[in-house]
Amino acid sequence: MSEVQPPTQEELDAFVRTRLTLAGFDLTLLPEKADPATGVPTRSQVLASLRAFVTSTPGAISGWTPPAPTPAYAQQASPPLLYPSVTEAWTGKAGD
């Protein structure tokens, strides 16, 4: 069985850029050079920050389950679906 390799920096950048585009955020609107007057982050700073987030946080988020005395209550307390329309298309029911 082959070992799964972590994504490269270029692959992470492509993922981040795609997610930002899908969310309607145009990364090209950010400056390429730091602007001390406004403090707006540069494109490279945003990419570096989001790369760090993607490589650390989502695993913790996806593994989270709410503390609950019973499994039935845990389902009620769980976070909302990210894409309910996709769930609805697959299952015919959203949130079940």
Side-chain angles (χ1 to χ4, degrees):
M1 182 180 283
S2 64
E3 187 174 316
V4 176
Q5 297 295 320
T8 64
Q9 182 171 334
E10 291 79 20
E11 291 169 333
L12 287 170
D13 283 350
F15 174 77
V16 167
R17 288 177 190 273
T18 301
R19 295 295 301 204
L20 289 174
T21 300
L22 289 172
F25 183 83
D26 186 1
L27 190 62
T28 62
L29 295 176
L30 293 176
E32 290 185 20
K33 295 181 182 177
D35 182 3
T38 63
V40 174
T42 64
R43 294 176 198 172
S44 60
Q45 288 172 325
V46 169
L47 280 174
S49 177
L50 291 173
R51 270 195 310 269
F53 173 81
V54 167
T55 57
S56 64
T57 307
I61 292 171
S62 67
W64 179 83
T65 54
T70 67
Y73 181 75
Q75 287 181 339
Q76 293 174 6
S78 64
L81 295 170
L82 289 176
Y83 304 103
S85 61
V86 174
T87 302
E88 174 111 5
W90 288 344
T91 65
K93 299 177 185 176
D96 287 343

